[in-house]
Amino acid sequence: MPLPLYLLAMAVFAMGTSEFLLAGLLPDIASDLGVPVGTAGTLTSAFAVGMVVGAPLVAALTRDRPPRSGLFWFVLVFAGAHVVGALTTSFAVLFVTRVVAAVANAGFLAVALTAAAALVPPDRKGRATAVLLSGTTVATVAGVPGGALLGASLGWRAPFWAVAALCLPAALGILKGIPAGRDGDGTAGRPSLRTELSRLTRPRLLLVMLLGALVNAATFGALTFLALVVTGTAGLGAWWVSVALMLFGAGAFVGVTVAGRLSDRRPRHVLAVGGPLLLLGWAALALLAEEPVALFVLVCVQGALSFAVGGTLIARVLHEASGAPTMAGSYATAALNVGAAAGPVVAAAALGSRAGVLGPIWASGLLVAVALLVAAPAALPLRAPVAARRGTEERA
């Protein structure tokens, strides 16, 4: 894999740390700013909404600019939003900073996904996507638990300062590792924006985007309120939240790495096996959450399955949108974050059900069940790209 991919992944690490960070900080934020925990949970949805709106909008506005300048400024705006968030005492201001940070993140990820796919042959898009998304999974392994520990020690504002600081080496890495000009022939031979947007009328692309959104909604819905399950249902101390988040991230890293190697050639196998297991896993987690050992094992397993299935679906979005070279990344980003916006809202509503703290876990299982029902009639005949199939046949 080209070195620029890993530099982009470093920036994704900083942004992924922020995106998942609130899972361990919500109770403290709610207490400090005087809002209910459910209201504080809308910060996750605010971030996701900013990503959904920002991804296609920013990708369209920057499609004629060299990738490096856009990526650099997105990282700086993201850092600035976290500085303001760390300083404010107003929930409304914090809410706005999350939206601004999300738009910057969306622009970065949309450009980065497209750039990553352009750096490799068509039959390696899945692996390139996995490398890029590994920044997010490493964030869940190290950044998010570290942020939770930092928040427990110094207050919830400290992790915001840490994320802002992480953005600085990422920005320098972009300047040094990403070429200044536009790759290839620039706009020569590139389809118009209208042509790229017309790809959204393709039923297969819309189906894969919907499935990606549903799976990601389940992931974010459960993860946003995982701290309540650890400290409430399992009856553990606040420090164990970091352990749970680290285990989820470790599983996610394994899942996205393994799926990245399989999704180019065997996407249907990954989805056919991983989807039902993901559904069973959420049900098992809800039923066994009172047992700490079972809780931690299942959190790790669900991290692996969530990112294996979700990462494969996002890679398929890039394949199905291959006729939209500058907008494909924004479609994948939008699919991810429609789910990330809806998931915490559904989970917060489930908190008021008779299931109580376990409501978000059951809601995640329901969302995956809906995805399986939607996918079943289409039978998801997802095949590897032609280049990958030819390579497989030649090696046989």
Side-chain angles (χ1 to χ4, degrees):
M1 291 287 107
L3 176 61
L5 267 181
Y6 296 96
L7 296 172
L8 294 175
M10 181 172 65
V12 173
F13 167 75
M15 295 181 174
T17 296
S18 173
E19 188 170 7
F20 287 96
L21 188 65
L22 296 186
L25 302 178
L26 281 183
D28 290 340
I29 292 174
S31 176
D32 186 32
L33 300 183
V35 298
V37 174
T39 301
T42 62
L43 291 172
T44 301
S45 294
F47 194 94
V49 169
M51 292 279 283
V52 172
V53 175
L57 177 62
V58 177
L61 292 175
T62 61
R63 69 193 299 266
D64 293 325
R65 297 182 60 83
R68 188 175 78 169
S69 63
L71 294 170
F72 176 74
W73 284 108
F74 290 143
V75 170
L76 289 189
V77 171
F78 188 84
H82 282 76
V83 170
V84 175
L87 293 172
T88 187
T89 58
S90 166
F91 179 79
V93 173
L94 181 60
F95 189 94
V96 171
T97 66
R98 296 304 289 171
V99 175
V100 172
V103 172
N105 191 355
F108 180 90
L109 192 57
V111 175
L113 280 166
T114 302
L119 288 170
V120 297
D123 61 320
R124 304 192 78 188
K125 284 184 179 181
R127 291 192 64 182
T129 302
V131 169
L132 193 65
L133 293 180
S134 70
T136 299
T137 59
V138 172
T140 60
V141 174
V144 176
L149 288 172
L150 190 61
S153 302
L154 302 176
W156 67 267
R157 299 175 191 277
F160 277 67
W161 286 110
V163 168
L166 279 173
C167 290
L168 299 181
L172 292 176
I174 289 168
L175 287 179
K176 292 183 67 68
I178 305 298
R182 180 173 293 279
D183 295 336
D185 297 327
T187 60
R190 193 181 68 192
S192 67
L193 178 59
R194 177 177 294 182
T195 299
E196 294 199 47
L197 291 175
S198 70
R199 302 292 292 186
L200 288 173
T201 62
R202 292 170 57 91
R204 284 174 59 82
L205 174 58
L206 292 175
L207 172 63
V208 180
M209 289 176 67
L210 174 60
L211 296 177
L214 287 168
V215 170
N216 205 46
T219 302
F220 269 82
L223 191 62
T224 298
F225 297 101
L226 182 60
L228 297 180
V229 177
V230 173
T231 59
T233 305
L236 300 173
W239 292 95
W240 287 99
V241 174
S242 300
V243 176
L245 292 172
M246 184 171 61
L247 288 171
F248 183 91
F253 182 78
V254 172
V256 78
T257 300
V258 173
R261 294 180 177 276
L262 296 175
S263 62
D264 286 318
R265 291 181 296 171
R266 299 182 179 88
R268 189 174 183 180
H269 292 77
V270 175
L271 299 176
V273 174
L277 288 178
L278 184 60
L279 171 59
L280 292 174
W282 288 127
L285 182 57
L287 293 171
L288 300 174
E290 292 183 354
E291 300 294 332
V293 174
L295 171 65
F296 289 138
V297 170
L298 286 167
V299 162
C300 183
V301 170
Q302 289 305 95
L305 291 171
S306 294
F307 273 78
V309 175
T312 298
L313 287 168
I314 294 309
R316 300 314 304 174
V317 172
L318 293 175
H319 280 292
E320 295 297 333
S322 58
T326 66
M327 297 296 292
S330 71
Y331 301 158
T333 302
L336 273 169
N337 288 282
V338 164
V345 174
V346 173
L351 280 173
S353 69
R354 291 199 298 179
V357 171
L358 292 175
I361 307 298
W362 285 113
S364 292
L366 178 61
L367 288 166
V368 174
V370 172
L372 293 175
L373 290 173
V374 170
L380 267 187
L382 298 174
R383 297 176 296 173
V386 173
R389 296 200 304 274
R390 287 175 179 170
T392 301
E393 293 167 358
E394 290 171 0
R395 288 190 294 270

